[in-house]
């Protein structure tokens, strides 16, 4: 696989965080509401800030990554490796094998889904549907 082809199938750090958030079933507003910042940032501004992180338009600080890890289930080693690939420190060939749609790894999948159909998509996303952005929940209507 050429480096150009490999780059197309390796998610960026922000895309990985977004995929893992979607697997958790959280919308950006929910993460923003639960995420504490110091100094305090308005919730609407936190949503925009998280959008920038997920689109790789703004790097996340280590403190932000740690805070996100309390809300979203992701592998810190995978995130570090993806960042190293994005920075050109690590060859794309050395990137961890993860699903570009949900961020899962081959050993994360259930036994009935052990066989990956391609190098960058897990059987669950291929067989069923990848996680989608959940609708913003409106607590006022409850």
């Amino acid at each position: 696989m050429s480096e150009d082809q490999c780059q197309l199938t390796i998610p960026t750090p922000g895309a990985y965080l977004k995929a893992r958030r979607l697997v958790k079933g959280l919308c950006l507003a929910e993460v923003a509401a639960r995420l504490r910042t110091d100094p305090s940032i308005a919730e609407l501004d936190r949503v925009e800030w998280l959008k920038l992180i997920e689109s790789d338009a703004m790097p996340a600080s280590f403190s932000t990554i740690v805070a996100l890890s309390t809300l979203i289930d992701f592998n810190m080693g995978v995130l570090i490796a993806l960042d190293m690939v994005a920075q050109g420190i690590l060859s794309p060939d050395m990137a961890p094998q993860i699903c570009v749609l949900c961020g899962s790894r081959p050993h994360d999948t259930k036994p009935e889904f052990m066989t990956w159909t391609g190098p960058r998509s897990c059987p669950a996303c291929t067989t069923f549907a990848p996680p989608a952005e959940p609708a913003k929940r409106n607590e006022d209507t409850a």
Side-chain angles (χ1 to χ4, degrees):
M1 181 182 299
S2 76
E3 188 167 315
D4 288 340
Q5 290 172 317
C6 202
Q7 286 288 50
L8 292 174
T9 58
I10 298 172
T12 63
Y16 173 65
L17 289 172
K18 179 178 182 177
R20 299 309 298 159
R21 174 181 59 78
L22 294 176
V23 166
K24 192 80 169 175
L26 296 171
C27 68
L28 281 169
E30 289 173 304
V31 175
R34 296 179 191 179
L35 193 63
R36 300 292 167 239
T37 58
D38 186 24
S40 183
I41 300 172
E43 189 173 324
L44 183 59
D45 292 336
R46 278 182 270 162
V47 169
E48 293 305 314
W49 174 57
L50 291 169
K51 283 181 185 177
L52 290 172
I53 290 171
E54 288 186 352
S55 65
D56 297 292
M58 174 184 286
S61 70
F62 183 73
S63 296
T64 301
I65 297 298
V66 171
L68 287 172
S69 74
T70 66
L71 304 172
I72 303 169
D73 180 27
F74 63 87
N75 182 289
M76 192 72 76
V78 169
L79 187 63
I80 291 168
L82 292 176
D83 192 55
M84 291 176 71
V85 170
Q87 291 185 46
I89 297 168
L90 186 67
S91 165
D93 295 335
M94 300 300 293
Q97 182 181 7
I98 61 171
C99 177
V100 295
L101 301 172
C102 71
S104 68
R105 297 171 294 161
H107 62 278
D108 292 340
T109 57
K110 296 178 179 163
E112 61 267 26
F113 296 120
M114 290 306 275
T115 306
W116 280 41
T117 55
R120 298 287 177 203
S121 83
C122 75
C125 287
T126 304
T127 306
F128 306 108
E133 188 73 51
K136 183 179 176 187
R137 295 182 181 102
N138 188 353
E139 285 81 20
D140 296 334
T141 61

